[in-house]
Every structure is written in C-alpha cells, then in structure tokens.
Amino acid sequence: MSDAGRVAFVTGASRGIGRSIAVALAGAGHRVAFCYASDEAGAKETQAAIEELGRDALALKADVADTAAVDRAFAEIEAAWAPVEILVNNAGVTRDGLIARMSDEQWDVVLQTNLGGAFHTIRRATRGMMKARYGRIVNISSASGQLGAPGQANYAAAKAGLVGLTRSVARELASRGITCNVVAPGPIVTSMTDAMPDDWRVWAQGAVPLGRLGTADECAAVVAFLCSEAAGYVTGALVPVDGGLAMGH
C-alpha cells in the first residue's frame, strides 16, 4: 500500500493533542478512528474536523483501561474498515496529589489508563499488524516521565513506563515490519494549561530553553512523521517535543 489510505486509531482524541494528531493523520490521507472517554461534544468536533478534510472518521466511546471496551472498539473498526495499521496511544488522566497523601485509587486509575491502556491497545492491534507485516505504533509520554514532577508521582511513573513498554514492543515486533516509538511533549498549550495559574505559565516559559509553550499541532507533526513510510527505519526512539526542557535525559 501507499503511505496514504491506511487505517489509524488514536486514543483520547476528543480535544487537545489527541485531536491534532487525528486531524494530522487524516491530512496525511488516512482513515481515522478515535476514541474518547466522556467528551461527546469534543468527539463530534474532532470528527467534523477530520471530515472537513474529506477523510473518513469513526468516533468510538471507550475506556482504554477496560480490556473489553478496547476489544469492542477494535472490532468496530475492523467491521467498518479493516485492521488497524497505525496506532497512537494518547489517552491519559491525572489524579494529582503529594505522595504522602496519594490514595491507592489515585495511583491505580492513572497507571491503568495511561500505561495499562497503551498495553491493552497494543496487544489488540498487534494481531492484525503481525499478519500484515506492517505497523506504526506511537505512544504519547511526557517530559515529566524523564524529569519527574512534584505532586504527580503516579503520572510521571506511568509516562516513564511507556518508554520501557515502547522499547520492549519495538524489539519484539521489529522483525514483522512494525515500529514502535514514544513522543514526549513538554508544556503544550491545551485547555488544561489554559486553566493553570499565571505563575505556572511564567515558570514553564522560563524553564523551556525556547522560552514558550509548544502547540498541539507541533506534537502532531512529529507523530504523523513517525506514522509515515518515511519513518520506517525509526523504532524504539524517544522523541521529545518540549522546547529543550528535558534535553540530556
């Protein structure tokens, strides 16, 4: 097949970085399915943005922490189109808290969604990718996975875990023509950062060598490259999109 027209699946794409990734993959010519946990209005906006490009879109409500929900989502994609050939794991949640007071629930929810969710989708996607002897997998981590973040031990642990997962999958599936990479964004302009206090924004801009927050489209451009034919010799890589924040880590 050509670089265009493959079946892509993006998790957590009702807004922010996930939406930009879904739109970028549609712009590259792919059919894009995506899932969302609860933001139905946002999912409709993402679907409309994809369809405005003249590409097929499929919006699915699914909790990636739930294995059965992941299986159903993949079955719907396969029934509508074909097996998934491009998988981007972007779904994530936060349950911030200082480690001394962090509950088991705060820890478990973040690990099950941010790390377990990626495991669930990769495991389900690989059966089709291995048969086709082709696949592109990109996991969205975070600069905090390398740097750590106070009040986010659960989030940083999950994001760091994605690096180990990515590199294990890359080694395991390389002989089948499947690549697996991880993208680690730094501070990115999203609805989440828009809600942060001004002093956080001042700190972030000062900590980033480029002196500004990044955009979701800048992340999406890197992900789209890693999902392309041109990136066929890139696997097991950690690609930062952080303005230099975590350089050297």
Side-chain angles (χ1 to χ4, degrees), residues 30-49:
H30 305 299
R31 290 177 286 181
V32 180
F34 66 93
C35 71
Y36 63 99
S38 59
D39 186 2
E40 186 173 348
K44 289 180 179 178
E45 292 176 5
T46 300
Q47 182 168 353

Side-chain angles (χ1 to χ4, degrees), residues 60-80:
L60 305 165
K61 186 175 182 179
D63 178 0
V64 295
D66 181 348
T67 302
V70 169
D71 286 341
R72 286 193 297 271
F74 272 85
E76 286 190 52
I77 297 167
E78 290 162 354

Side-chain angles (χ1 to χ4, degrees), residues 131-144:
K131 184 176 181 179
R133 302 190 70 84
Y134 179 91
R136 296 283 188 268
I137 302 169
V138 178
N139 298 316
I140 307 301
S141 179
S142 168
S144 66

Side-chain angles (χ1 to χ4, degrees), residues 4-39:
R6 295 189 182 275
V7 175
F9 181 35
V10 183
T11 69
S14 62
R15 58 183 175 176
I17 294 173
R19 177 184 292 173
S20 290
I21 291 169
V23 172
L25 291 175
H30 305 299
R31 290 177 286 181
V32 180
F34 66 93
C35 71
Y36 63 99
S38 59
D39 186 2

